[in-house]
Amino acid sequence: MKIFAIGMNYAEHNKSLHGTLSKPERPVIFTKADSALLNNGKPFFIPDHLGRIEYETELVVRICKLGKTIPQRFAHRYYDAVTVGIDFTAREMQKKLREAGQPWELAKGFDGSAVIGEWVDVQKFRDIQAIHFHLDLNGKNVQEGCSSDMLYKVDEIISYISQYFTLKTGDLLYTGCPTGCGPVKIDDHLEGYLEDRKVLDFMCK
């Protein structure tokens, strides 16, 4: 199983982190190790040596068939379900790595940093590019977004990634996060929603 993630895919988030609303010239792709995956409501153990850890709430797409060099018009055939996920980020470390022109993996791919919720069949939604999602932290709405605001759409991303990597059944695609990221601390309770359906529920330890 491979975990792909997209950076800088929402304009307002780009402005908050990078000071620009502009669309990257091409999708910004990074990967997470398979040990980053955290599911089934298991707690997230905050690593105490990585500094400030922030949540990034994202729509996650599940790949359902083998594919390589997929034309964009056929990309919709290669995923079957979506959920809400958290791309945990060691923010201070990421900033240092970015300033040094180095890869983000240490700040993005550490154990437990890719949380996923309960899968929902994509057919339940009228359009994958019109799904609202949000995160509650300790019962308060702290981050929300809609897939219609993505700078690069799901089918574009899948077509692009498949030029470099063979997609396989069970691979995951984190599609980027909207503005509103924030830190987590021990005993925080995180709940993620697709529209009004809760699909994610876990604690920080």
Side-chain angles (χ1 to χ4, degrees), residues 108-124:
K108 286 281 196 177
F110 54 88
D111 288 357
S113 63
V115 189
I116 57 168
E118 168 195 344
W119 293 107
V120 179
D121 192 312
V122 73
Q123 300 300 325
K124 300 284 186 183

Side-chain angles (χ1 to χ4, degrees), residues 8 39 53 60 92 101 126 169 184 205:
M8 303 175 64
N39 56 12
I53 303 296
V60 185
E92 295 153 334
R126 177 180 57 83
T169 300
V184 290
K205 298 291 187 182

Side-chain angles (χ1 to χ4, degrees), residues 151-187:
L151 298 175
Y152 285 98
K153 308 306 184 187
V154 173
D155 290 359
E156 291 179 87
I157 296 166
I158 287 175
S159 178
Y160 180 79
I161 290 176
S162 72
Q163 296 176 42
Y164 302 91
F165 302 93
T166 298
L167 296 178
K168 296 184 178 181
T169 300
D171 286 350
L172 306 180
L173 173 61
Y174 282 68
T175 57
C177 84
T179 191
C181 303
V184 290
K185 62 183 186 304
I186 291 173
D187 293 330

